[in-house]
Each structure stands twice: as structure tokens, then as C-alpha cells.
Amino acid sequence: MPSTSAPRGKLILAGIIFAFLWASASAGTKVGLSAVQPFVLFVPRFFMAATIMLFISHVLLKKRLPKGKEWRQVAIYGLFNISLYLGIYVVGMTEVSAGLGALAAATNPVFISLLSTIWLRRPLRPVTVVSLLLCLAGIGVAAWPLMADSYATPWGLSMVLLSMVAYSIGSIYFSGRVWTDLHIFTINGWQTLFGGIFLLPLMAAWYQPGLNHFNLTWLLATLWLVIPVSIIAVLLWLYLLKDNPVNASFWLFLCPIFGFGISAALMGEPLSLYTLASVVLVVAGLYLVQRARKKS
């Protein structure tokens, strides 16, 4: 992948590691859900990740706090990007396989493209519709045999897709706001903290002691979701975006491949020709929308 500023080798390595870590989030979530309830897995994760990022931002880097309307902006961003996106996602993942969850998450750029068109009241381009249809077809092809083998349910898949819509709305909201010199660690730290706070009442309301086992499985899953996924993968993503935002998005193509591979290795989930067809369809949809974005 060519670069104009960073060495190509470093970019390729960063892209591969990012795709692997990002795709591993679904498997890490499924492992954690075998020990605790959905919100019990994710809410502590949010507070841990927020604490680390805010420590780096305000203590190590000496960056300023948000001020004025920036507090409202990070809170709204946290509502969509953390509370709604990941809150709905983790609930859906209780009835969706890790591989299918990773496949669905990879379609985010297509949903963002579609919702951006609607949000900005622009004419709907055929390439956006075709990309969405290809991605949805890919998810459907992957889901069909998994539903038959009880690895997924229509309700779980619907929740995961709904979470992608919430994420897309959050991304559009973020890109439309003025953040001046507010550091990215500050934004991410506070939006993650607000997102966790918004989910606390739901965690408390649905908490059932007998369904939660704070064992080694829970601890390892939580630490994996906090450090490699929420912090390292995000830093690598920002590094790729800084070099070339359009090229960075192409690394998302690897996420479905890594996602199914990780889920098969760790969770014993089946791989078949349906899996291959689904990845091809989703990657084709992503390619079309990214190529259109690159041209524009």
C-alpha cells in the first residue's frame, strides 16, 4: 500500500496488526460472554479504557480538558459511539457467532456512506445502494448455515446490524463537529467514560449475580478488549488515518478474514463455502464504496 510520508513496511505491518486486533474483538466478546452478562462485560471495560486514555491525555501529555459546548459534544458522541453502538452490539452478540459479528462490523463504511448521503440530503448514488446490497447479501449468506446450526438467530443479527447504524450516526456526528485543538485521547477518553456512565443503570437493572462469574476467563477477555482492542488498535488506526485516510479504510477488508479465522481457531465455529462467499460479497461491497470515496 503506497504512502507519501511513512515507510511502506511500517504501514503494512500497522495495517495487518490493526485488522487482526480489530477483528479479534468479536471473539474476545464471545469469550467474555461465556462468563458474565453483556453489560457486566462491557461497562467495566469502558471505565478501564477511559481511565487509561484520560491518564495519558491529562497526566502524561498535559492536554487540556474539554470546555463549554465540547462537554456536550463528547457526551453525545459517547452516547452513540459507546452506549448505543457497543451496548446494542454486545447484547446482539449473545446470539451471534464471533465470525458473523466481525463480518457485520466490517460493513461500517458502507452504512456510514449511506447515512451520510441521507444526513446531508445528497442524491443517493447507485454505487452506495449496490455496496449496501452486496454487504447485506454477504451477511445473509454467512448467517444462513449458522442459524441452522444454532450459531446465530435473526434477533441477534438484527441487533448487531442496528448497532452498526448507531456507530455510523456517531461517526457522522463526530465528523460534523468542531473540536479545535482537543486531543484525540481526550475525546476518546471522555466519550468512553460518558458511554459507560449512560449504560450503568441498565447494567444495574439487569444484573443477576448467578449469571456472572468473575474468573480468569472474564479477566482475560476484559483485558484483551481494553488494551489490544480499545487502545492499541485505535492508536494503529489513527496512525494509518494520519498517513492516508482513504488507504487506511482498505485495511478493513482483512477484518472479515481474520474474524472468521480467529472464531474458528478459538471458538470452533464452522468454516464453509458459505463463509468464503460471504467474505467475497462483503469485500466487494467495501471495495466499491471505498473506490467511490477515493475518486471523490
Side-chain angles (χ1 to χ4, degrees):
M1 186 170 291
S3 169
T4 57
S5 57
R8 176 172 177 162
K10 290 180 64 176
L11 287 171
I12 292 175
L13 182 61
I16 292 173
I17 295 175
F18 159 76
F20 176 83
L21 294 179
W22 202 245
S24 73
S26 295
T29 298
K30 292 296 288 187
V31 171
L33 288 174
S34 68
V36 296
Q37 291 177 279
F39 292 146
V40 177
L41 175 63
F42 267 28
V43 172
R45 166 198 175 185
F46 299 149
F47 285 119
M48 291 173 65
T51 299
I52 293 172
M53 288 188 284
L54 291 176
F55 177 81
I56 293 173
S57 176
H58 299 310
V59 177
L60 298 183
L61 301 179
K62 307 296 183 183
K63 300 298 181 180
R64 69 173 179 86
L65 289 165
K67 57 186 179 182
K69 67 178 183 180
E70 291 172 345
W71 285 111
R72 183 176 70 253
Q73 291 181 180
V74 293
I76 294 174
Y77 183 43
L79 175 65
F80 282 103
N81 197 53
I82 299 296
S83 305
L84 293 177
Y85 166 44
L86 292 176
I88 296 172
Y89 174 80
V90 73
V91 171
M93 285 300 294
T94 60
E95 298 187 16
V96 169
S97 72
L100 189 55
L103 182 70
T107 65
N108 273 328
V110 178
F111 281 98
I112 292 173
S113 179
L114 176 64
L115 292 178
S116 295
T117 299
I118 297 172
W119 189 291
L120 300 175
R121 298 180 181 179
R122 294 174 177 170
L124 187 60
R125 296 186 299 174
V127 66
T128 302
V129 177
V130 172
S131 298
L132 180 64
L133 292 177
L134 285 171
C135 287
L136 292 178
I139 292 172
V141 168
W144 181 259
L146 294 176
M147 288 180 183
D149 295 333
S150 300
Y151 281 95
T153 66
W155 182 85
L157 184 57
S158 298
M159 292 294 286
V160 169
L161 290 176
L162 180 61
S163 74
M164 302 304 132
V165 175
Y167 175 84
S168 301
I169 294 174
S171 298
I172 295 168
Y173 176 83
F174 176 83
S175 64
R177 304 279 78 78
V178 176
W179 299 97
T180 59
D181 63 335
L182 201 61
H183 195 269
I184 192 65
F185 263 117
T186 303
I187 297 172
N188 279 333
W190 284 107
Q191 66 106 6
T192 302
L193 181 61
F194 277 119
I197 291 172
F198 294 149
L199 285 177
L200 268 178
L202 292 178
M203 185 184 76
W206 289 350
Y207 184 79
Q208 299 181 48
L211 298 179
N212 298 285
H213 308 283
F214 299 101
N215 50 25
L216 184 61
T217 298
W218 164 78
L219 179 62
L220 292 178
T222 300
L223 290 177
W224 182 265
L225 291 171
V226 169
I227 299 174
V229 176
S230 294
I231 296 178
I232 297 177
V234 170
L235 285 175
L236 290 171
W237 178 245
L238 294 175
Y239 172 73
L240 294 168
L241 284 176
K242 185 178 180 181
D243 179 78
N244 189 312
V246 175
N247 285 346
S249 298
F250 282 95
W251 289 110
L252 294 172
F253 293 175
L254 291 179
C255 289
I257 301 171
F258 279 133
F260 277 114
I262 294 169
S263 65
L266 291 183
M267 318 296 296
E269 294 178 5
L271 296 176
S272 66
L273 290 177
Y274 288 98
T275 307
L276 177 61
S278 67
V279 170
V280 170
L281 287 169
V282 169
V283 168
L286 287 171
Y287 174 75
L288 287 177
V289 77
Q290 295 298 344
R291 187 181 67 173
R293 183 182 299 176
K294 190 170 185 177
K295 286 182 178 180
S296 61

